[in-house]
Amino acid sequence: MSNFEMIFFWISLVIYSLASGGYIYSFVFKNPRFMPKMTILILIGFLTHTIAICARYQAQGHLPWSGDYESAMMGGWFIIAGTLFVGWRNKALQALATASVPLVIIMMGFGVMRNPVLTPMAASLKNYWLYIHVYFAWLAFGAYTLAMAAGVLYLMKRKSSKSGVVNPSYERFPSLDRLDEMIFRYVVFGFITDTIMIAAGAIWAKDLWGSYWSWDPVETWSLISWLSYGICIHLRITFGWRNERLAWLAIAALSTVIISFFGVTFVVDSSIHTFQVR
C-alpha cells in the first residue's frame, strides 16, 4: 500500500465510522434531522474511497480485486455506491446506510489486516471474462447488502409500531409495505447478477484451467449463496413469504455471501481464487 493510498483509505474509514455513529445518535436520541447530514458525510467518504482505489490502480496497473484487502476495498465501494444511488433516487431510502455502512467498515477493517501488499496481476488472468465475472460479483454483493439493510429497517420499524413507542427517526423510513417490496427487488436483482457472475466465471475457468467447474471452496460457497437466494425468491413467489420472514431471510442469506468472499480465504489457503500472497 502506497502512502497516498493509505492516507485516503484511512480517511474514508474514519468518515464512514463517523457517519455510522451519527445514525446511531439519530435513533437513540430520536433526532431525524441529523440523518441527512450523515448522507453528505458518506458522500465525502465515498469520494476519498474512490481516490484510494485510483491510487491502488495507478500503483499496480489493475483494479483492486486480488486478495481480501482489495476485495474489501472494491466491494465496499460498490456497496456505498449502491447506498448513495438508491438514497439519491428516494430520500426515504437514505436510511439504508444504517446497516450497509457498518458492514463496509468491518469489511475494510478486516481487509487492511490481511497484508495489503501491491501485487501485479499475472498475465494468465488478464481476460475480458475476468472483468465481467468480478463486475457482476460486486453488483450482486451490493444488491444483497441493500436487501439486508432494507430487512434491518423493516424489523426496526415493525418493532417500533408493535411496541407503540414513536421514534421520529423511524418515520423517515419507507412504509413497511414499501420496504418489503424493496427487499424482494434487491434480492431478485442480486440473484440475476449473481447468475451472470457464476456463468462468466465458468467460461473464464474453462479458458484458464480447462474446466467449467472444479468445486473449489469459493465456487462451492458461491453456489450455496446462489441457492440460498433462489430459495428466498421461491418462498416469496410460491408460498407468499413476506414481511418479517422475508426480512430475516435477507439478513441471514447475506452470511453465505460474506463466507464466499472472505470466510473461505480466511480459513483455506489452497484456493484457485487466491491470487495474492498473504
Side-chain angles (χ1 to χ4, degrees):
M1 182 191 296
S2 66
N3 290 333
F4 188 75
E5 176 193 347
M6 180 177 64
I7 290 171
F8 281 95
F9 174 88
W10 284 107
I11 288 175
S12 303
L13 200 57
V14 169
I15 291 175
Y16 291 154
S17 299
L18 291 174
S20 293
Y23 276 107
I24 295 172
Y25 171 85
S26 297
F27 297 136
V28 173
F29 293 96
K30 302 180 180 180
N31 185 1
R33 292 177 296 178
F34 204 67
M35 294 174 66
K37 299 176 182 178
M38 296 302 99
T39 301
I40 297 175
L41 196 60
I42 292 171
L43 177 59
I44 296 172
F46 178 72
L47 295 176
T48 59
H49 193 162
T50 304
I51 294 173
I53 290 174
C54 291
R56 188 78 175 183
Y57 176 82
Q58 185 179 25
Q60 61 184 8
H62 66 82
L63 288 173
W65 51 41
S66 174
D68 291 330
Y69 168 72
E70 294 187 0
S71 293
M73 176 182 278
M74 203 67 187
W77 187 90
F78 270 88
I79 292 172
I80 296 296
T83 301
L84 290 172
F85 177 73
V86 298
W88 170 70
R89 296 197 61 187
N90 185 346
K91 290 185 178 180
L93 292 175
Q94 290 178 353
L96 290 174
T98 304
S100 64
V101 175
L103 176 62
V104 172
I105 294 171
I106 294 172
M107 285 171 52
M108 292 176 66
F110 171 77
V112 78
M113 295 174 63
R114 298 283 285 168
N115 192 18
V117 297
L118 292 169
T119 305
M121 182 66 72
S124 60
L125 301 177
K126 295 180 180 180
N127 186 295
Y128 286 113
W129 284 110
L130 171 63
Y131 295 91
I132 297 171
H133 176 65
V134 173
Y135 172 69
F136 280 99
W138 290 129
L139 281 181
F141 195 3
Y144 290 152
T145 300
L146 291 180
M148 177 276 295
V152 171
L153 296 190
Y154 183 94
L155 294 174
M156 291 171 65
K157 188 164 186 174
R158 181 72 172 174
K159 183 178 180 181
S160 176
S161 63
K162 283 184 176 180
S163 64
V165 178
V166 178
N167 189 328
S169 297
Y170 295 167
E171 298 304 314
R172 286 183 174 264
F173 297 175
S175 67
L176 291 176
D177 289 340
R178 177 63 174 167
L179 284 171
D180 180 73
E181 182 65 24
M182 294 311 297
I183 294 171
F184 179 66
R185 290 189 180 189
Y186 292 144
V187 168
V188 171
F189 180 84
F191 184 76
I192 294 172
T193 53
D194 199 358
T195 302
I196 298 173
M197 180 271 289
I198 292 174
I203 296 172
W204 176 47
K206 175 64 174 178
D207 182 59
L208 186 62
W209 296 298
S211 173
Y212 289 108
W213 194 267
S214 60
W215 293 105
D216 174 75
V218 174
E219 289 179 347
T220 303
W221 272 101
S222 295
L223 179 61
I224 292 172
S225 176
W226 183 79
L227 290 173
S228 297
Y229 283 98
I231 291 172
C232 183
I233 294 172
H234 177 68
L235 290 173
R236 168 62 179 259
I237 294 175
T238 306
F239 298 100
W241 278 39
R242 307 174 63 92
N243 305 325
E244 290 177 281
R245 288 189 294 185
L246 183 65
W248 280 114
L249 273 175
I251 295 171
L254 187 66
S255 62
T256 63
V257 182
I258 294 174
I259 292 173
S260 176
F261 277 97
F262 303 105
V264 173
T265 56
F266 181 74
V267 177
V268 180
D269 290 328
S270 58
S271 169
I272 59 177
H273 284 81
T274 304
F275 304 132
Q276 185 179 34
V277 178
R278 290 176 172 78

